[in-house]
Amino acid sequence: MRPSNRTPAQLRSVAITRHYTRHAEGAVLIACGDTQILCTASLDEKVPPFLRGKGQGWLTAEYGMLPRSTHERMQREAAKGKQSGRTMEIQRLIGRALRSVVDLTKLGERTIQIDCDVIQADGGTRTASITGAFVALHDAVEKLLQRQLIQTTPILTHVAAISVGIYEGVPVLDLDYLEDSSCDTDMNVVMTGDLGLVEVQGTAEGVSFSRQDLNAMLDLAQHGIQDLIGIQKAALAAK
Amino acid sequence: MRPSNRTPAQLRSVAITRHYTRHAEGAVLIACGDTQILCTASLDEKVPPFLRGKGQGWLTAEYGMLPRSTHERMQREAAKGKQSGRTMEIQRLIGRALRSVVDLTKLGERTIQIDCDVIQADGGTRTASITGAFVALHDAVEKLLQRQLIQTTPILTHVAAISVGIYEGVPVLDLDYLEDSSCDTDMNVVMTGDLGLVEVQGTAEGVSFSRQDLNAMLDLAQHGIQDLIGIQKAALAAK
Amino acid sequence: MRPSNRTPAQLRSVAITRHYTRHAEGAVLIACGDTQILCTASLDEKVPPFLRGKGQGWLTAEYGMLPRSTHERMQREAAKGKQSGRTMEIQRLIGRALRSVVDLTKLGERTIQIDCDVIQADGGTRTASITGAFVALHDAVEKLLQRQLIQTTPILTHVAAISVGIYEGVPVLDLDYLEDSSCDTDMNVVMTGDLGLVEVQGTAEGVSFSRQDLNAMLDLAQHGIQDLIGIQKAALAAK
Amino acid sequence: MRPSNRTPAQLRSVAITRHYTRHAEGAVLIACGDTQILCTASLDEKVPPFLRGKGQGWLTAEYGMLPRSTHERMQREAAKGKQSGRTMEIQRLIGRALRSVVDLTKLGERTIQIDCDVIQADGGTRTASITGAFVALHDAVEKLLQRQLIQTTPILTHVAAISVGIYEGVPVLDLDYLEDSSCDTDMNVVMTGDLGLVEVQGTAEGVSFSRQDLNAMLDLAQHGIQDLIGIQKAALAAK
Amino acid sequence: MRPSNRTPAQLRSVAITRHYTRHAEGAVLIACGDTQILCTASLDEKVPPFLRGKGQGWLTAEYGMLPRSTHERMQREAAKGKQSGRTMEIQRLIGRALRSVVDLTKLGERTIQIDCDVIQADGGTRTASITGAFVALHDAVEKLLQRQLIQTTPILTHVAAISVGIYEGVPVLDLDYLEDSSCDTDMNVVMTGDLGLVEVQGTAEGVSFSRQDLNAMLDLAQHGIQDLIGIQKAALAAK
Amino acid sequence: MRPSNRTPAQLRSVAITRHYTRHAEGAVLIACGDTQILCTASLDEKVPPFLRGKGQGWLTAEYGMLPRSTHERMQREAAKGKQSGRTMEIQRLIGRALRSVVDLTKLGERTIQIDCDVIQADGGTRTASITGAFVALHDAVEKLLQRQLIQTTPILTHVAAISVGIYEGVPVLDLDYLEDSSCDTDMNVVMTGDLGLVEVQGTAEGVSFSRQDLNAMLDLAQHGIQDLIGIQKAALAAK
């Protein structure tokens, strides 16, 4: 029995709110159960130095947690003067995942800057960030099309992500904090709209896992991501 | 005529939402027009080294802006590796303002950590932070009382803050971003529940200001803060 | 009775020594009682990136304390690797105060860099920095005129600053360290040569203060600043 | 055809040299083709603060590249003043991988510090670090047993790692730099001595990958890791 | 001919002013021609962690230059967030030089912190720092004796320092900035009161130097240091 | 008797291995007894900003120790976020020493970056770095000549370095760690191929030293450096 009474293959309720703040070209609040993340996409008419003059764009991501988004208050990274290894790892993952569905040559010499800031954390912040940021990215690209800065969308397909794990011996979908902190294996899966794999990151927390475990988790992830992409589409279809 | 069509003495609409997130002992979203700030108060059963063994508590504050809370995206301070002078100045102000209404000797050897994180900015973030953080502080102190960690409240009175300024030659209350970026004088005022002054910080942006200007701005501020304290009380009265 | 036996409205003795060091275009030692600050103004034939090509100049300030300028040795900020919030707050104030009396469009595309370094501290270092730095600024501008790099002075009027406070219930002018560390209210006031207000920064240290207190302190400050401007003028009149 | 003329399932030649330097309790040079990494294990009779008094030990890892271990010189991280996100990600992976085969409660209140420093890089440095560091760890644990600081080994089983990928459409084992910089998918796999999975980190570089691709890569990885564990055993068997 | 018209063996005029500031236990302004350095010695009733409980004291030094002590303004190290290699090298030298004449076991478990801050620079700041700091150290030790915190002085003998060099082919004593920036060889020599060598740091700037050059420079240095020690003694003899 | 049983004037065995790694233009492992340092020289077709357009090149050096190159593990400087004063001092010395034998105007507008990384430390790492880096520099310059980027070598002569000291009252050559940590005086000497002095850095560790001591140490150093230059020449003569 999962602490949340969910079945093994059950996602938490997901809500995607577009235009959550006013200034960003894309601004999405994604809530997956008690996990709430504000994902913004900002347009910048420049590229980083290593891409100047190459006729292509760039997309990069940053991630942060509000100090009291967590059970115990975390030290503010701006006050410490450095980002943790975990933060760097997550923001690199978000950037790679989104770039995997963007044709940067169609973006022109501009940068889309993604920011994922965790308002409230209950497990799964990195995967929810990817799922939410895709919608913010979509909204920002719409702005580029409306302003006729580009003629065709650089977005190739959807991308979404979910965590899976082995909790008390059972493969389960979409771990919350209670499950995450005591599971045997934790895996984050990122897939595209045509269900191609973009990232698979599985980690044994205590006991190692088998190929069968891996396959069971991937099956769960695939179903979860199909659902999440449906939710993204519904959110984007709303005017 | 103010850009927002408000009268010179008119506050923006203010909404205080308590229990906005789950983990913090106090968690308040304050919205003043389009300015939205999440203010949390976290309890920590320790004091900083300079107070150890002195039989008193401490209250300190940190402030941050989400990178795209603003019109143009700001660089993330955690990524830059340092907080700006503006950030430091604001968080020092918030801390002083709240400590002015707390009897730290009644708090016991513990710290209340205030975090004010700007979700969306439209002027007046430092004063809204103080007004909102007071309510979060109040909720955190209630937790201490409920848990019988303290017997009497260390909170002496309310505290709230507002900005005033001279905009196109006219003293006005509660500047929004458009006014703030083109006003002649900008002043932040912090007052207690019995309308004692705690902080007065006035700055001439272009032309210097007179004693009459100062008095007119203080009159406006006093009325505005009376209203804000009323709103704080109403929020705290709701169950 | 004040610890220094001064009357409430009495300034400490002030001495302004121009040309205190050889290399800077302006180099002033200001002594206000036991507070001694070296204020230099350096010319730089560049502007910061945000002003390039805008046909105007810039003025900025930095502030530091020698580690043993104080009763207890303070850690050297260069060794700690960061400036404190207090330092940042003070150097921002000095820069704003001086810019308020400079027409930056008349300065040409160059920067005047002010450095205020506290040799010995006995209260009032931020206000003495402003009063002294104005004289250093004046000397640096004279160099620009002599070298015919500019034809008319960009300096609009004098600027000077003083602290006032409520000490043992009595409004007093020009707090020294003993007063500053035990006063109820501490206020820094910056005024121009025509007695316009540029900055008013009042802080209740323990008890809040009233509008009457504020007015009494501003009256004292105005008289003190008139005297300081007289002293600046006398110093600048000396050849 | 692979650039190195290897068959898809062929490892590069691997050489493990124990006791490569004198001071460390474990000191191993691992060469996988042209990739050369010095892996040391250092004993420290302390645990980090979060484990004090808990009766268990700790193992942590750091990773670095000599500035000219690479084709183009990389900036020295010590000179830049911070470790890159890639460095942090890798050293977190190495630490997790090794902790997965150590019973920390049997280690006593001490820390084993792993350092993996890349002398020469030609792809696969993070996986070679894990494979080599296991041998260094084993040697350090032997020292603890010889000195009778512990009575039974805390090492539960072997651990080794290898990269796999899809290169020009073909799943291949053990990517070198040429393959790594132009492959479609890159995956790092960490397995224990009983072939349990500890980490699976697969990333689509351009095109997404399928479940079949994933399985083909895992098959290759499993064979490669079996060989690497054989090489570890042979190295440890030598006196 | 030297730019200053001095003879090769002629020191610049040296002035040592004790009690230059009020707060430090030792506070000396040393002027060597146009080089002016404030040297303070501060007592701290603690030792650094590596010496705790060892029954001995410590002496350490820090060095800084005011930003406009030099011809061109230097960036403030506190603002840059790090000390330069030159600064670190100089403060390590000052600390070693002074420790060479102090019996740290006689100091008790306390630290003497030396600060050398350059008010105006015209060459020779590191050697003048040592010569001046010795006098500040002496005054601070007198305070310890007067307060009966120690019974016998830990100071074993005097220490002073001077620069020598080869300028236009001629060995000269006490280089000023003009000589220093164009000399062939620059050497800093630290000697004790009984003319033992403590530090010899010679650097060829362009052409290498011979053993004869070295000896000629050391002869000059020895005479210069004898004079400096005389000046130290005269300063300390004044009441 | 020296701990290593060497005679006072005896060098440790020295081995210079060229082409130790593949990527650097010069890559030398120098072993002096148990001290082992990897010295690389990297070509960069740029000069630092202060030399742009001046028609000359630059040479600079960095130094690092692998964390467990030493008896006790040292904290990794990249993880601490700053280089120690000792590191900065050493890398500045290496750079100066090598620049003293290079005609930078013949190098063209490019930089040679030297990296000296200590694999294993047993005293004398800074002097061995210089001796080894010269050979790496020579190999990198050969690459420039072969690629016809320059027509004549900018290298003027050899440069090598050695430590000398007074150990138990006796002047000795080439101190190892045991001697270095208990000697009275420690001196590093850098000389050119025609035995001109480039750097002399002598430090009294406990007792001061005399001019006779200095001369005896310099005699030893001169003989040692002659031998080292012979070893450099032999290494460079090998194909």
Coordinates of all heavy atoms in Angstrom, one line a residue, chain D residues 34-58:
Chain D
D34 N 43.4 5.1 -24.1 CA 44.2 6.3 -23.8 C 43.6 7.1 -22.6 O 44.2 8.1 -22.3 CB 44.2 7.2 -25.0 CG 45.3 6.8 -26.0 OD1 46.3 6.2 -25.5 OD2 45.1 7.0 -27.2
T35 N 42.6 6.6 -22.0 CA 42.1 7.3 -20.8 C 42.9 6.7 -19.6 O 43.0 5.5 -19.4 CB 40.6 7.0 -20.6 OG1 39.9 7.7 -21.6 CG2 40.0 7.4 -19.3
Q36 N 43.4 7.7 -18.9 CA 44.2 7.3 -17.7 C 43.8 8.1 -16.5 O 43.8 9.3 -16.5 CB 45.7 7.6 -18.0 CG 46.3 6.7 -19.1 CD 47.8 6.9 -19.2 OE1 48.4 7.5 -18.4 NE2 48.3 6.5 -20.3
I37 N 43.5 7.4 -15.4 CA 43.0 8.1 -14.2 C 43.7 7.5 -13.0 O 43.8 6.3 -12.8 CB 41.4 7.8 -14.1 CG1 40.7 8.4 -15.4 CG2 40.9 8.5 -12.9 CD1 39.3 7.9 -15.5
L38 N 44.1 8.5 -12.1 CA 44.7 8.1 -10.9 C 43.6 8.1 -9.8 O 43.0 9.2 -9.6 CB 45.8 9.1 -10.5 CG 46.5 8.9 -9.1 CD1 47.0 7.5 -8.9 CD2 47.6 9.8 -9.0
C39 N 43.3 7.0 -9.2 CA 42.2 6.8 -8.2 C 42.9 6.5 -6.9 O 43.6 5.5 -6.8 CB 41.3 5.7 -8.6 SG 40.7 5.7 -10.3
T40 N 42.7 7.4 -5.9 CA 43.2 7.1 -4.6 C 42.1 7.0 -3.6 O 41.0 7.6 -3.7 CB 44.2 8.2 -4.1 OG1 43.5 9.5 -4.1 CG2 45.4 8.3 -5.1
A41 N 42.3 6.2 -2.6 CA 41.4 6.1 -1.4 C 42.2 6.5 -0.2 O 43.2 5.9 0.1 CB 40.9 4.7 -1.3
S42 N 41.7 7.5 0.5 CA 42.3 8.0 1.7 C 41.5 7.8 2.9 O 40.3 8.0 2.9 CB 42.6 9.5 1.6 OG 43.4 9.8 0.5
L43 N 42.1 7.3 4.0 CA 41.4 7.1 5.3 C 41.4 8.3 6.1 O 42.4 9.0 6.3 CB 42.0 5.9 6.0 CG 42.0 4.6 5.3 CD1 42.8 3.5 6.1 CD2 40.6 4.1 5.0
D44 N 40.3 8.6 6.7 CA 40.2 9.8 7.6 C 39.4 9.3 8.8 O 38.3 8.8 8.7 CB 39.5 10.9 6.9 CG 39.5 12.2 7.7 OD1 40.1 12.2 8.8 OD2 38.8 13.2 7.3
E45 N 40.0 9.4 10.0 CA 39.3 8.9 11.2 C 38.3 9.9 11.7 O 38.2 10.1 13.0 CB 40.4 8.6 12.3 CG 41.3 7.5 11.9 CD 40.6 6.1 11.8 OE1 39.9 5.7 12.8 OE2 40.7 5.4 10.8
K46 N 37.5 10.4 10.8 CA 36.4 11.3 11.2 C 35.2 11.0 10.3 O 35.4 10.5 9.2 CB 36.8 12.8 11.0 CG 37.7 13.4 12.0 CD 37.7 14.9 11.9 CE 38.0 15.4 10.6 NZ 39.4 15.2 10.2
V47 N 34.0 11.4 10.7 CA 32.9 11.4 9.7 C 32.4 12.8 9.6 O 32.6 13.7 10.5 CB 31.7 10.5 10.2 CG1 32.1 9.0 10.0 CG2 31.3 10.7 11.6
P48 N 31.6 13.2 8.6 CA 31.1 14.5 8.4 C 30.1 14.7 9.6 O 29.5 13.8 10.1 CB 30.4 14.5 7.1 CG 30.4 13.1 6.6 CD 31.4 12.3 7.4
P49 N 29.8 16.0 9.9 CA 28.9 16.4 11.0 C 27.6 15.6 11.0 O 27.1 15.2 12.1 CB 28.7 17.9 10.8 CG 29.9 18.4 10.1 CD 30.3 17.2 9.2
F50 N 27.0 15.4 9.9 CA 25.6 14.8 9.9 C 25.6 13.4 10.3 O 24.6 12.8 10.5 CB 24.9 15.0 8.5 CG 25.5 14.2 7.4 CD1 24.9 12.9 7.1 CD2 26.5 14.6 6.6 CE1 25.4 12.1 6.1 CE2 27.0 13.8 5.6 CZ 26.5 12.6 5.3
L51 N 26.8 12.8 10.4 CA 26.9 11.4 10.8 C 27.5 11.2 12.2 O 27.7 10.0 12.7 CB 27.7 10.6 9.8 CG 27.0 10.3 8.5 CD1 27.9 9.5 7.6 CD2 25.7 9.5 8.8
R52 N 27.9 12.3 12.9 CA 28.7 12.1 14.1 C 27.8 11.4 15.2 O 26.7 11.7 15.4 CB 29.1 13.4 14.7 CG 30.5 13.8 14.1 CD 30.9 15.2 14.6 NE 31.8 15.8 13.5 CZ 31.9 17.1 13.3 NH1 31.3 17.9 14.0 NH2 32.7 17.5 12.3
G53 N 28.4 10.4 15.8 CA 27.8 9.7 16.9 C 26.7 8.7 16.4 O 26.0 8.1 17.2
K54 N 26.7 8.4 15.1 CA 25.7 7.5 14.6 C 26.3 6.1 14.4 O 25.6 5.2 13.9 CB 25.1 8.0 13.2 CG 24.5 9.3 13.3 CD 23.2 9.5 12.6 CE 22.5 10.8 13.0 NZ 21.9 11.5 11.9
G55 N 27.5 5.9 14.8 CA 28.1 4.6 14.7 C 28.3 4.0 13.3 O 28.4 2.8 13.1
Q56 N 28.4 4.8 12.3 CA 28.6 4.4 11.0 C 29.7 5.2 10.3 O 30.0 6.3 10.8 CB 27.3 4.3 10.2 CG 26.8 5.7 9.8 CD 25.9 5.6 8.6 OE1 24.7 5.5 8.8 NE2 26.4 5.8 7.4
G57 N 30.2 4.7 9.2 CA 31.2 5.5 8.4 C 30.6 6.2 7.2 O 29.4 6.2 7.1
W58 N 31.5 6.7 6.4 CA 31.1 7.4 5.2 C 32.1 7.2 4.1 O 33.3 6.9 4.4 CB 30.9 8.9 5.5 CG 30.3 9.7 4.4 CD1 30.8 10.8 3.8 CD2 29.0 9.5 3.8 NE1 30.0 11.3 2.8 CE2 28.9 10.5 2.8 CE3 28.0 8.6 4.0 CZ2 27.7 10.6 2.0 CZ3 26.8 8.7 3.3 CH2 26.7 9.7 2.3

